[in-house]
Amino acid sequence: MERRCFFGEQAACRSQGLLSLVSVVPSDSMDATATEAALAALPEVETAWSVAGEDSHLLVVRTRSIVELSGVLQRLQGIDGVARTRTAVVLATPVRR
């Protein structure tokens, strides 16, 4: 179970990695099947949801560092059908059910 990191527990929390939520904004020519196959090929993508609205997908991405996250975002933006991404880095999980 994910938990908050407190002073003195940083090492244990770092082992869980950096958790980010990434929204995918599709290009006009997006082929959902091909894009989803490309998303599935990225090992850092733990979960991908197809969503309604301006974004086509919402991804749960886990990396070891911001540098690694930057690399994943560059790879995502290189996928046909992805116009751009928006990223939120999770700082804490105050509620989890």
Side-chain angles (χ1 to χ4, degrees):
M1 181 171 172
E2 195 172 62
R3 62 188 175 85
R4 291 181 139 197
C5 293
F6 295 99
F7 183 76
E9 298 180 331
Q10 289 83 2
C13 288
R14 277 194 299 271
S15 68
Q16 295 176 4
L18 181 71
L19 185 65
S20 302
L21 303 176
V22 179
S23 297
V24 174
V25 179
S27 65
D28 292 336
S29 61
M30 176 188 245
D31 173 351
T33 302
T35 301
E36 289 171 359
L39 295 175
L42 296 173
E44 299 88 354
V45 176
E46 291 186 350
T47 305
W49 292 288
S50 177
V51 296
E54 181 181 345
D55 303 331
S56 63
H57 294 82
L58 181 61
L59 314 176
V60 175
V61 175
R62 190 175 302 272
T63 58
R64 291 179 297 241
S65 67
I66 290 291
V67 171
E68 188 176 313
L69 174 61
S70 179
V72 172
L73 295 175
Q74 288 177 355
R75 292 194 330 254
L76 281 169
Q77 292 168 0
I79 293 173
D80 285 339
V82 175
R84 67 181 189 276
T85 59
R86 285 190 292 263
T87 304
V89 174
V90 175
L91 300 176
T93 306
V95 177
R96 183 175 180 135
R97 296 189 175 115

